[in-house]
Amino acid sequence: MAVIADTEDVGALYRVLAKRLEQLVRLDVRAPDPVIEDACQAAWSRFVDHRARVRVDATLSWLVTTAVREARRLASRDQRELSLDDALEQVAEPTLRLRSAPVEELLEQRERLAAVGQLPERQQRLLWLHALGLSYQELAVHEGYTRRTVERQLLRAKRRARELAAE
């Protein structure tokens, strides 16, 4: 059974199979281009982790199956979740107003930010990515952790940041 041994082989396969993979996924899943592209990239990312278990002759079918599943998952998520842009478009007149914050509130926010800087690097990174809008599952995939690890680390980070800010 021939398998892909190193990342150079993966690079060569990517150059050969990437366009074909996208074409096959587009035939199977009706979704916007960004969803298809994200799904294909997720499949390649998973392939790098699982390449030792995938036979060379089965690589394309493995990638297609993985990408199609991911594209369907992403498409169903997009249908469930309303983006902020779409929500603002549905509101006739957005009532978002900037208000000037009192000095005490600004100082408190500065203390919270300083507290985040005292956390371990992993917790800082997860907090910032979560604050940017990544879900727990997206964080797990992005950082290579399990969802439960992300939940625990974020819980610890939030708790510790509150403690540090209160000191």
Side-chain angles (χ1 to χ4, degrees):
M1 173 174 89
V3 295
I4 311 315
D6 60 23
T7 53
E8 289 179 19
D9 293 341
V10 174
L13 274 174
Y14 181 84
R15 286 188 290 283
V16 172
L17 298 178
K19 289 186 193 254
R20 183 70 180 139
L21 173 63
E22 274 194 39
Q23 291 170 345
L24 292 171
V25 173
R26 283 182 208 286
L27 289 173
D28 203 341
V29 179
R30 290 206 176 268
D33 287 345
V35 170
I36 300 295
E37 292 165 4
D38 288 350
C40 290
Q41 289 308 311
W44 280 106
S45 177
R46 289 189 189 121
F47 176 72
V48 169
D49 293 336
H50 298 283
R51 67 182 181 264
R53 291 184 268 172
V54 179
R55 292 188 333 261
V56 173
D57 60 329
T59 300
L60 183 58
S61 63
W62 188 94
L63 286 165
V64 169
T65 302
T66 304
V68 165
R69 287 179 184 157
E70 182 68 11
R72 288 183 180 147
R73 188 188 69 76
L74 290 172
S76 71
R77 185 191 71 192
D78 286 347
Q79 291 171 356
R80 286 192 318 266
E81 297 176 2
L82 185 63
S83 73
L84 181 59
D85 292 335
D86 292 341
L88 288 176
E89 286 177 10
Q90 291 180 0
V91 176
E93 289 183 26
T95 57
L96 296 175
R97 291 188 190 132
L98 295 176
R99 62 178 176 83
S100 59
V103 173
E104 297 84 23
E105 187 176 328
L106 290 173
L107 290 174
E108 184 179 321
Q109 289 174 358
R110 183 175 286 181
E111 289 172 5
R112 284 188 205 144
L113 285 174
V116 170
Q118 295 177 24
L119 296 173
E121 184 179 325
R122 174 166 78 164
Q123 291 178 357
Q124 284 183 40
R125 189 172 50 252
L126 287 172
L127 269 178
W128 288 118
L129 291 172
H130 188 59
L132 289 172
L134 270 67
S135 69
Y136 283 18
Q137 185 61 38
E138 291 168 329
L139 286 168
V141 170
H142 183 270
E143 294 297 310
Y145 303 138
T146 65
R147 182 184 165 99
R148 182 68 185 130
T149 298
V150 169
E151 290 171 1
R152 277 195 311 260
Q153 289 299 314
L154 280 174
L155 179 66
R156 290 176 186 162
K158 291 174 185 178
R159 185 180 303 138
R160 183 67 180 139
R162 278 192 295 269
E163 291 170 1
L164 290 169
E167 290 176 355

